[in-house]
Amino acid sequence: GFPSENGMLEPVTRAMKSNCKMEVIYKRYGHNPKRHIVEPYFIKTYNHRFYVLCKFDTGNFFTLSFDRILEVKVLKGHFNFPNNLFAEDFFINSFGVMIPPGDVKPLDIILRAKSDERFYLKDIPLQSSQQIVREELEYVDFSYHIIPTEDFIGAVMQQGDRLEVIAPEEFRNKVKTRLE
């Protein structure tokens, strides 16, 4: 199977199919394991890892990484899955699996891709909103309508000088500060 699936795929999908709540013991990095009762909504893969989007009893949504779930128990208690909730809508302005705070608005970000990165991004877009806004011989400018979560900032920084933030200025400065 998928290495990060950790034997959790079967019980998680079983709970999802029958709209059953789950009891999970989850270990966040740097924390002690904690027991949670959750409603499993969607499974998402990112960076060769499985994640499950869950609604906690607090009403907040979290993504749990399968490889940090120590135990899962499908419970008898059912929940009502919202008819108007779709995974695509939930992550439309996101990159990866981080859930941005509800009050954060997406930014229109322009990234300039140089060298082979411009071809790579044409073949495999960084995010679903990606559009080409300018194409020159040495570079391609791509636009994104996205909430710049930590995982997006990390992906931009990972490309080093092959990817440059053109706009907006506040996001450019944020990435620049991190790089320094």
Side-chain angles (χ1 to χ4, degrees):
F2 216 86
S4 74
E5 177 263 324
N6 202 25
M8 300 297 162
L9 192 56
E10 191 279 322
V12 170
T13 53
R14 189 163 27 98
M16 287 171 67
K17 282 179 188 168
S18 53
N19 283 8
C20 285
K21 293 184 179 189
M22 301 184 315
E23 180 180 343
V24 296
I25 297 175
Y26 191 74
K27 184 172 181 0
R28 288 174 47 201
Y29 290 131
H31 294 79
N32 289 325
K34 212 170 161 192
R35 184 177 307 273
H36 303 280
I37 305 290
V38 299
E39 299 173 357
Y41 280 31
F42 305 113
I43 291 175
K44 185 170 170 71
T45 58
Y46 172 68
N47 262 3
H48 308 292
R49 281 187 158 145
F50 275 97
Y51 294 85
V52 59
L53 173 70
C54 296
K55 187 177 181 183
F56 280 57
D57 46 18
T58 60
N60 293 330
F61 286 91
F62 292 93
T63 44
L64 303 178
S65 176
F66 276 47
D67 57 348
R68 292 194 296 277
I69 297 174
L70 304 179
E71 207 177 293
V72 65
K73 196 182 298 170
V74 180
L75 303 175
K76 300 261 186 272
H78 287 77
F79 66 93
N80 292 319
F81 188 89
N83 291 331
N84 59 350
L85 189 66
F86 301 97
E88 304 80 46
D89 297 341
F90 204 91
F91 290 104
I92 189 96
N93 295 318
S94 298
F95 177 86
V97 293
M98 287 188 145
I99 301 171
D103 56 350
V104 178
K105 298 281 176 249
L107 294 176
D108 290 314
I109 294 174
I110 296 176
L111 300 178
R112 178 164 292 167
K114 303 167 202 160
S115 70
D116 286 349
E117 195 62 23
R118 61 201 161 137
F119 305 117
Y120 182 75
L121 287 179
K122 277 183 177 180
D123 288 344
I124 303 168
L126 200 54
Q127 197 255 356
S128 61
S129 68
Q130 177 176 298
Q131 301 283 324
I132 294 173
V133 289
R134 183 176 182 162
E135 206 165 346
E136 298 293 336
L137 218 50
E138 311 81 40
Y139 66 86
V140 177
D141 288 348
F142 295 97
S143 70
Y144 302 88
H145 188 71
I146 189 170
I147 296 171
T149 49
E150 289 302 313
D151 48 2
F152 180 70
I153 294 167
V156 170
M157 289 173 51
Q158 197 175 8
Q159 299 313 317
D161 63 356
R162 295 185 308 272
L163 214 50
E164 179 187 350
V165 179
I166 302 300
E169 195 64 32
E170 75 257 23
F171 183 65
R172 181 179 165 87
N173 290 337
K174 188 178 205 172
V175 172
K176 186 180 174 199
T177 304
R178 293 271 176 87
L179 285 169
E180 289 168 351

